[in-house]
Amino acid sequence: MATSVRAEGITPGPFHDSRQVVAGIYFLEARDLDTALAMASTNPILHQGGGLEVRPIHSGGPTA
């Protein structure tokens, strides 16, 4: 259920290249996946050769 975000673009699925390590976790509150991807696309790490994975999580509250 992951979506990969890199400087080259957005692709469905997790990263297939696992040579790198997890350096941190961001929790974003967004109304939908498109909004979360737009927010992730502003991260400076993308311009330094890095990438992000956006994954949905559920806080246990109501869903609509």
Side-chain angles (χ1 to χ4, degrees):
M1 294 184 67
T3 302
S4 298
V5 181
R6 292 210 180 237
E8 299 84 32
I10 297 172
T11 58
F15 292 141
H16 293 287
D17 186 3
S18 61
R19 297 176 304 182
Q20 301 170 359
V21 297
V22 174
I25 297 173
Y26 298 96
F27 288 94
L28 303 173
E29 185 173 344
R31 65 180 164 205
D32 56 28
L33 180 60
D34 291 333
T35 303
L37 292 172
M39 293 168 65
S41 296
T42 66
N43 192 304
I45 196 66
L46 299 176
H47 303 290
Q48 300 170 5
L52 301 168
E53 284 187 6
V54 176
R55 295 174 180 263
I57 60 170
H58 188 291
S59 65
T63 60

